[in-house]
Amino acid sequence: LQSDAPLQVFKNALPPDLRSHLKAGFVGDSVFWAEHKYDDPETSFFSYSCAVPVKDPQSSIEQAVGYLYSVMLADESTKEWMSRVSLGEWWVHKRPHSAAHQMHFDADERFFRSGSSYRLFHPSASSVTFLSGAGTGGATCVTDQVLEGGFGRRAWMVTPEAGTLLAYRGNVLHGVLPPPLHTKREASDVDLTELRTTLMVTWWEEKEDLAMGPQTEVGRVAQGPRSPHPQAHCNRGPQWPRLFIRKKDGWGASVAETVILPRAHSPVW
């Protein structure tokens, strides 16, 4: 039992049809990536946000945010983090199998661009939902290290598996490790061409300023932290929202269940 661990893991967090729908929408050559210029190194961080609980979802992505919110709010280990949350900020990553992501703290990206008025705010909680299959890319590493403390003492490695939700306290250091080297036999079971695709959500309390951040013109739209969700229009505006039309009757019940946490590694450093 790791009752003081700063994370929890759920499997089957999204209904299967919704997960498959999102995975198809975020496939590697999707217009979503092109319209956001995701692969351009000059593109700044961008995200979207919606109020939670999600009462009037604008897209299937916001419906997914609603499912994830319900799963985390209902679980004993995460409901304290979620009890005062009023906003979910979401974005998506796609990375080649061999790619990693530096260790970092989640923070309010709007204030990274505010010069002398910079302030550091952590979300109440953060989450990663794996849309790609098992063995695609490296594990997400979550530590118990916080900015205001010393070095972390423990770290947990959560490997990608389709439909898995990794939730963790919003103030802890985390990142993505390079994948392990495979033997030839192991490599034959892994699709090295599949991209490691994850839906990221940071969960913010109502005491925070919920306004969107500075926007940058990208193609036909402005984007930046907490951008407003564009409407799905046929002939104007970005085309990617048309990939994520909400399902009026929902996607069925979530059958999320917690899993035993992986063994904590210590020391971290």
Side-chain angles (χ1 to χ4, degrees), residues 32 36-38 40-49 88-93 95 101-102 104-113 123 126 174 198 200-202 204 212-218 222-227:
F32 176 87
H36 288 92
K37 295 188 176 181
Y38 179 87
D40 185 340
E42 298 299 318
T43 298
S44 300
F45 174 81
F46 62 90
S47 64
Y48 297 89
S49 61
E89 178 185 8
W90 67 265
W91 64 99
V92 188
H93 278 311
R95 302 188 188 283
H101 188 62
Q102 72 270 18
H104 64 282
F105 295 100
D106 285 338
D108 192 330
E109 295 277 346
R110 297 171 303 165
F111 295 107
F112 286 166
R113 310 180 190 191
S126 297
H174 61 283
T198 51
M200 322 293 295
V201 186
T202 47
W204 298 90
M212 68 181 181
Q215 306 288 292
T216 302
E217 291 294 330
V218 177
Q223 67 185 39
R226 302 189 188 179
S227 300

Side-chain angles (χ1 to χ4, degrees), residues 11 23 30 39 50 72 93-94 97 137 158 166 170-171 175 193 200 212 219 257 263 265:
K11 65 178 181 179
K23 181 180 178 182
S30 168
D39 294 315
C50 62
M72 294 173 65
H93 278 311
K94 68 175 176 84
H97 173 76
V158 180
L166 162 61
N171 64 338
T193 65
M200 322 293 295
M212 68 181 181
E257 54 185 296
R263 178 178 62 87
H265 294 262

Side-chain angles (χ1 to χ4, degrees), residues 9-14 161-165 254-259:
V9 181
F10 307 85
K11 65 178 181 179
N12 303 318
L14 296 175
E161 185 171 347
T164 292
L165 163 64
S254 169
V255 292
E257 54 185 296
T258 58
V259 300

Side-chain angles (χ1 to χ4, degrees), residues 61-77:
I61 305 171
E62 291 193 353
Q63 288 181 307
V65 171
Y67 277 103
L68 301 176
Y69 171 79
S70 297
V71 169
M72 294 173 65
L73 188 63
D75 188 77
E76 288 293 326
S77 60

Side-chain angles (χ1 to χ4, degrees), residues 46-244:
F46 62 90
S47 64
Y48 297 89
S49 61
C50 62
V52 293
V54 181
K55 297 179 180 179
D56 183 24
Q58 299 301 301
S59 68
S60 56
I61 305 171
E62 291 193 353
Q63 288 181 307
V65 171
Y67 277 103
L68 301 176
Y69 171 79
S70 297
V71 169
M72 294 173 65
L73 188 63
D75 188 77
E76 288 293 326
S77 60
T78 55
K79 69 178 183 180
E80 182 179 352
W81 309 340
M82 304 296 289
S83 61
R84 294 179 297 277
V85 162
S86 65
L87 182 137
E89 178 185 8
W90 67 265
W91 64 99
V92 188
H93 278 311
K94 68 175 176 84
R95 302 188 188 283
H97 173 76
S98 59
H101 188 62
Q102 72 270 18
M103 300 296 288
H104 64 282
F105 295 100
D106 285 338
D108 192 330
E109 295 277 346
R110 297 171 303 165
F111 295 107
F112 286 166
R113 310 180 190 191
S114 56
S116 60
S117 61
Y118 167 76
R119 292 175 292 167
L120 181 63
F121 289 123
H122 297 298
S124 177
S126 297
S127 65
V128 180
T129 304
F130 297 98
L131 302 178
S132 47
T136 305
T140 296
C141 172
V142 178
T143 77
D144 60 4
Q145 182 168 323
V146 297
L147 191 64
E148 302 81 6
F151 290 117
R153 297 182 297 108
R154 296 172 298 169
W156 294 261
M157 317 299 173
V158 180
T159 55
E161 185 171 347
T164 292
L165 163 64
L166 162 61
Y168 49 94
R169 280 206 322 262
N171 64 338
V172 296
L173 186 70
H174 61 283
V176 179
L177 303 180
L181 295 175
H182 294 289
T183 65
K184 287 185 177 180
R185 182 172 183 176
E186 290 171 332
S188 66
D189 297 328
V190 176
D191 182 359
L192 299 181
T193 65
E194 184 177 8
L195 296 172
R196 186 186 192 273
T197 308
T198 51
L199 172 63
M200 322 293 295
V201 186
T202 47
W203 306 93
W204 298 90
E205 296 181 11
E206 58 190 9
K207 68 181 181 182
E208 307 291 350
D209 174 11
L210 302 183
M212 68 181 181
Q215 306 288 292
T216 302
E217 291 294 330
V218 177
R220 291 183 285 177
V221 297
Q223 67 185 39
R226 302 189 188 179
S227 300
H229 195 300
Q231 297 296 314
H233 295 293
C234 293
N235 299 315
R236 56 188 176 88
Q239 297 301 297
W240 69 263
R242 298 170 60 188
L243 300 174
F244 302 102

